Amino acid sequence: MKKLSITGQIALLFSFVLIISAALFTTVTLNRLKFVAEQETYSRLITYSSLLDSHDQRPETVIKDMEIGFVKIREKAIVYSNDIHSYMSEAELKTVLESFKNQNKPVIKRKMINLEGKTIYFVANVSEDGQGVNVIMTNSLYVNNLSRNVSFQIITAFIIIICFATLCIVIWSNQFTKRLHHLQGHILELPKNGYNISYQDDGLDEVGELSRAIETMRVEIQESERQKQEMLQNMSHDFKTPIAVIKSYAEAQQDGMADENSSKIIIAQAEILKNKVNRLLQYNSLEYLEKNREFEEVDMKEVVEEVVMGYKFQTELSIELDLTEDIFFMGYRENYFTVVDNIIDNARRYAKTKIKVVLKKDRLRIYNDGEHIDEQFIKHSFKPYEKGSKGEFGLGMSIVQKTVDFFGMQLIVKNEPIGVSFIITK
């Protein structure tokens, strides 16, 4: 099946199901049809039996579509049709006639198999003058012909239906696969045209939904490419500055023109460059962040205290702590450390006098009394490689946003009357 086209698979499957259904339907119908044909035979025989009392017409001269044999019993007189023995032998006929004696029913219908294995249908009823019994019979030729003719019509109709339905399926599936081929061609061309050409199937079915999903993906990839280009531009500018400073002071030292602060400046710029590289590596590692082990309970009080201890001698800002014992967030400790470190580092750059960290049940709040954050920047949910209001590289908060999302937490950024709060909550 996998080697067939979709059109071939659909047509083959549809034909197979239709043929099986037709076979089952025909089998049931033919069994029922034989019963109907027998009842029709009895009905005709009852009608034709009235001709046995007519002196003007004999049934064998009037009836053309059935082979008829008959017996007329009048008191002790018995009249046979000329071909009566083609239906049954003398002994069989005697047995049949004996079975009709002393019957109270006005009409008796029976079927029997004669000595030659042929099926005989016959009807016996009281004659119109009430003086005798008329027995009229026929073989299975009428039943077989009627069944055969109707069966032929049913089978012919099914063949026509199968052919017509298969043709419709083939035409429909060809149109369906054409849409898929158009979609496939569009997908293959996307990298070549830089994801700039859109294509949407206007169908309301699954192919149309797939087309719209691919269009959404194309827009997202195009936006991602734009962000990467912007990232490269920002990175080149952001990395170029400390590298240029380091190079200029190193050259000054080589030429003997450096002052006593040049080494400190080189070390400071190298530290800046290291931090930028670390941020980039942290963000890149998030691309491969996956739940390869069960989330663990992380003691957030320990994490906050460890991060703050690292900044103790790096800033003159006041860092206030209001930490509740035994507060646990589900996730990985190393990633929560990175989250808290990035938020406090961001607050350290913006704060004027103080940073305050409050840890309560299901909630971590990190506040700084710096300038408000542009609301438009907050709405972007800290997309990577965007810059804040002061032009700083916004990669750190992108790391925070993505990590918090991965752990099923929520990051809320709120401009307070004075300062800004970063809140991580369940």
Side-chain angles (χ1 to χ4, degrees), residues 245-246 248-254 257-271:
V245 173
I246 292 172
S248 63
Y249 275 89
E251 289 175 346
Q253 284 187 348
Q254 186 179 31
M257 299 175 60
D259 56 27
E260 58 183 13
N261 293 323
S262 61
S263 295
K264 295 181 180 179
I265 294 174
I266 291 175
I267 293 173
Q269 292 297 319
E271 185 67 22

Side-chain angles (χ1 to χ4, degrees), residues 119-136:
T119 303
I120 306 299
Y121 302 90
F122 49 84
V123 170
N125 62 354
V126 179
S127 60
E128 292 182 358
D129 56 11
Q131 299 301 313
V133 177
N134 300 330
V135 180
I136 186 168

Side-chain angles (χ1 to χ4, degrees), residues 162-180:
I162 290 173
C163 293
F164 178 75
T166 303
L167 178 62
C168 291
I169 287 293
V170 169
I171 294 175
W172 172 82
S173 58
N174 276 332
Q175 295 298 319
F176 183 81
T177 52
K178 281 182 181 179
R179 294 167 63 195
L180 290 179

Side-chain angles (χ1 to χ4, degrees), residues 63 86 107 136 156 177 186 193 204 210 239 242 250 263 285 295 349 351 353 366-367 405-406 411 423:
I63 302 171
S86 66
V107 177
I136 186 168
T156 302
T177 52
H186 169 64
N193 57 47
L204 300 178
L210 176 61
F239 280 58
S263 295
S285 67
F295 287 165
R349 295 199 307 268
T353 61
I366 301 176
Y367 165 82
D405 289 343
F406 178 75
L411 175 65
I423 302 169

Side-chain angles (χ1 to χ4, degrees), residues 97-111:
L97 294 179
E98 287 292 332
S99 68
F100 289 139
K101 289 182 178 180
N102 303 320
Q103 294 285 347
N104 296 324
K105 295 180 180 179
V107 177
I108 302 172
K109 298 182 289 185
R110 288 186 183 170
K111 179 174 69 172

Side-chain angles (χ1 to χ4, degrees), residues 28 31 56 116 139 156 166 289 313 347 374:
V28 174
N31 290 332
D56 300 327
E116 298 179 1
N139 53 28
T156 302
T166 303
L289 185 62
F313 302 105
D374 189 345

